[in-house]
Amino acid sequence: DGGITQSPKYLFRKEGQNVTLSCEQNLNHDAMYWYRQDPGQGLRLIYYSQIVNDFQKGDIAEGYSVSREKKESFPLTVTSAQKNPTAFYLCASTSTGIPTGSNQPQHFGDGTRLSIL
Amino acid sequence: AQTVTQSQPEMSVQEAETVTLSCTYDTSENNYYLFWYKQPPSRQMILVIRQEAYKQQNATENRFSVNFQKAAKSFSLKISDSQLGDTAMYFCAFMNNNAGNMLTFGGGTRLMVKP
């Protein structure tokens, strides 16, 4: 089945440690996104990438880093500079509509819950 | 920048009845898309319905329909014949046609369907 796979489902971070969240999609989507969700709140965009080897900061990029070396993969690293990393992280992907011109909705993974030890 | 506002943090409805969730947005764009996503306790984000701004006809998907008022920048979701499985957080989202398909989300409405 085509879809988006996020791993791990649960992750714990120690003080001063960097951790990486995995996101893989087999939907042949061009664009991929990372969102953060805090309890009882909506999703906020961290980073997004519309093409391999290119990515852009979202609204809350500080303390995070990403890479896009392959079309299928968009890992997110939560660095030690992110002082409040406890949250639920969602990865999404979509076809950008180039060259079809049709914008498609985003498809989401099942998320990773990150907590501080 | 776009903003999306959901003014109802929580709502409840009796099973089999109808409920309407509100959403307003602010944008200077003319071409955009609007979505309602459902997030059940499993935390999955599930697309419920979408609306293209250039279409005047309101979108409908089975028991779910929208009331899209472009001039008023309003995009409400109506759920008919509510079912227990409709219990979830519902998020309204805005997508700018010219901004990398990025979504701007509202703060969500928690819907409880009571038996």
Side-chain angles (χ1 to χ4, degrees), chain A residues 22-55:
Chain A
S22 171
C23 178
E24 304 276 334
Q25 54 97 1
N26 60 4
L27 299 166
N28 199 32
H29 283 167
D30 307 297
M32 298 185 74
Y33 309 82
W34 274 106
Y35 294 92
R36 169 179 172 142
Q37 186 179 27
D38 291 287
Q41 298 186 27
L43 281 67
R44 292 182 292 167
L45 182 66
I46 305 172
Y47 267 100
Y48 69 101
S49 168
Q50 292 184 269
I51 194 170
V52 174
N53 292 324
D54 186 54
F55 47 83

Side-chain angles (χ1 to χ4, degrees), chain B residues 16-70:
Chain B
E17 293 188 349
T18 296
V19 64
T20 298
L21 308 184
S22 301
C23 173
T24 58
Y25 58 94
D26 188 24
T27 184
S28 57
E29 300 291 332
N30 195 46
N31 294 322
Y32 52 87
Y33 293 77
L34 295 161
F35 303 90
W36 279 97
Y37 280 89
K38 168 185 176 181
Q39 188 179 43
S42 66
R43 305 296 294 270
Q44 282 182 300
M45 290 291 284
I46 301 166
L47 178 66
V48 174
I49 199 166
R50 65 179 287 186
Q51 175 81 42
E52 291 88 346
Y54 63 85
K55 289 187 177 179
Q56 292 187 339
Q57 186 174 5
N58 289 325
T60 299
E61 287 287 341
N62 300 313
R63 299 183 294 109
F64 299 88
S65 61
V66 298
N67 183 5
F68 173 48
Q69 301 289 329
K70 190 173 183 180

Side-chain angles (χ1 to χ4, degrees), chain B residues 68-83:
Chain B
F68 173 48
Q69 301 289 329
K70 190 173 183 180
K73 296 180 182 174
S74 171
F75 183 59
S76 61
L77 175 69
K78 185 171 81 171
I79 306 175
S80 304
D81 186 24
S82 298
Q83 300 176 359

Side-chain angles (χ1 to χ4, degrees), chain A:
Chain A
D1 283 356
I4 301 174
T5 302
Q6 287 188 241
S7 62
K9 194 174 179 71
Y10 300 96
L11 186 59
F12 298 91
R13 195 191 88 169
K14 295 179 181 178
E15 291 289 337
Q17 185 183 42
N18 292 354
V19 292
T20 297
L21 285 61
S22 171
C23 178
E24 304 276 334
Q25 54 97 1
N26 60 4
L27 299 166
N28 199 32
H29 283 167
D30 307 297
M32 298 185 74
Y33 309 82
W34 274 106
Y35 294 92
R36 169 179 172 142
Q37 186 179 27
D38 291 287
Q41 298 186 27
L43 281 67
R44 292 182 292 167
L45 182 66
I46 305 172
Y47 267 100
Y48 69 101
S49 168
Q50 292 184 269
I51 194 170
V52 174
N53 292 324
D54 186 54
F55 47 83
Q56 307 295 329
K57 291 182 179 179
D59 299 323
I60 54 165
E62 185 174 350
Y64 301 96
S65 66
V66 294
S67 63
R68 187 88 186 276
E69 297 177 2
K70 299 186 300 182
K71 186 176 184 178
E72 303 78 19
S73 178
F74 191 42
L76 173 74
T77 296
V78 184
T79 74
S80 57
Q82 172 50 247
K83 298 306 179 187
N84 184 24
T86 297
F88 188 63
Y89 291 85
L90 282 158
C91 178
S93 71
T94 188
S95 171
T96 56
I98 300 171
T100 63
S102 172
N103 287 292
Q104 298 299 314
Q106 293 185 9
H107 298 257
F108 286 82
D110 288 342
T112 294
R113 185 181 300 278
L114 175 62
S115 302
I116 291 288
L117 279 178

